[in-house]
């Protein structure tokens, strides 16, 4: 799908909208002597729809979220959809950050109380956490080393 296809689609949609508007006006003020031009507008409308139908394969890969259609149904500008999605994401991100801060504060208070009331258990917990952190660091270092070895072997094969 290129820019030219999109521009052609816009032109066909504009023609469809204009023809539909003209048909609505003609129907609202219908007079018997305007039957011929009214019929001609219906033919034009059919041609507009046919043109759109012929273009459908150019846009087969385009995926539009259903929420965009809901947005349009609510009378909102679909061009503002992305902006609103980003604003909702930022708001949710702030909520999550707040929860993280609250959980970290709770964790710190819990550890402080654990240290006051159960100092031996607190020391054992700290030792376990340090051992786990050291194991995780060594595992990450080993994984990085393996990746580097794989990369070096690939480079040698190229040469």
């Amino acid at each position: 799908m290129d820019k030219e296809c999109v521009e052609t689609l816009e032109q066909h949609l504009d023609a469809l909208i204009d023809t539909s508007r003209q048909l609505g006006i003609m129907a609202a003020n219908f007079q018997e002597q305007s039957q011929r031009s009214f019929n001609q507008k219906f033919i034009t409308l059919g041609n507009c729809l046919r043109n759109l139908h012929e273009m459908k394969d150019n846009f087969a890969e385009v995926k539009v979220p259903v929420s965009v259609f809901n947005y349009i149904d609510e009378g909102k500008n679909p061009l503002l959809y992305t902006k609103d999605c980003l604003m909702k994401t930022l708001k949710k991100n702030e909520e999550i950050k707040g929860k993280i801060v609250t959980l970290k504060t709770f964790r710190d208070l819990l550890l402080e109380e654990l240290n006051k009331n159960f100092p031996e258990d607190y020391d054992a917990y700290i030792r376990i956490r340090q051992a786990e952190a050291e194991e995780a660091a060594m595992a990450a270092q080993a994984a990085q080393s393996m990746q580097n070895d794989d990369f070096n072997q690939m480079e040698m094969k190229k040469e």
Side-chain angles (χ1 to χ4, degrees), residues 27-42:
N29 301 319
F30 185 74
Q31 297 173 3
E32 226 176 288
Q33 62 268 24
S34 63
Q35 181 68 48
R36 180 176 288 173
S37 60
F38 191 67
N39 292 344
Q40 188 59 40
K41 282 294 175 193
F42 264 114

Side-chain angles (χ1 to χ4, degrees), residues 18-137:
D18 190 48
T19 304
S20 298
R21 183 185 55 78
Q22 290 173 6
L23 264 172
I25 292 169
M26 291 174 80
N29 301 319
F30 185 74
Q31 297 173 3
E32 226 176 288
Q33 62 268 24
S34 63
Q35 181 68 48
R36 180 176 288 173
S37 60
F38 191 67
N39 292 344
Q40 188 59 40
K41 282 294 175 193
F42 264 114
I43 292 169
T44 304
L45 181 69
N47 290 336
C48 289
L49 292 171
R50 185 180 310 106
N51 290 339
L52 288 174
H53 181 73
E54 289 170 358
M55 292 187 70
K56 74 177 186 320
D57 293 335
N58 295 338
F59 299 93
E61 297 298 318
V62 175
K63 306 285 187 223
V64 179
V66 174
S67 53
V68 172
F69 294 111
N70 294 337
Y71 206 78
I72 293 168
D73 288 343
E74 292 171 4
K76 297 178 183 175
N77 185 345
L79 298 176
L80 298 176
Y81 176 78
T82 303
K83 178 185 173 190
D84 287 346
C85 285
L86 288 173
M87 296 304 288
K88 288 176 185 175
T89 302
L90 286 172
K91 183 180 177 184
K92 189 67 172 177
N93 189 29
E94 290 299 318
E95 289 176 17
I96 298 299
K97 282 182 182 178
K99 289 178 181 181
I100 290 171
V101 168
T102 301
L103 287 172
K104 284 182 179 179
T105 303
F106 175 72
R107 179 183 170 269
D108 293 342
L109 289 172
L110 186 62
L111 288 174
E112 185 179 316
E113 289 298 316
L114 181 64
N115 189 22
K116 284 181 189 175
N117 295 311
F118 305 102
E120 299 85 20
D121 293 336
Y122 175 79
D123 292 337
Y125 171 76
I126 294 299
R127 282 193 302 275
I128 291 169
R129 290 292 298 191
Q130 287 173 344
E132 288 175 352
E134 288 171 4
E135 286 176 17

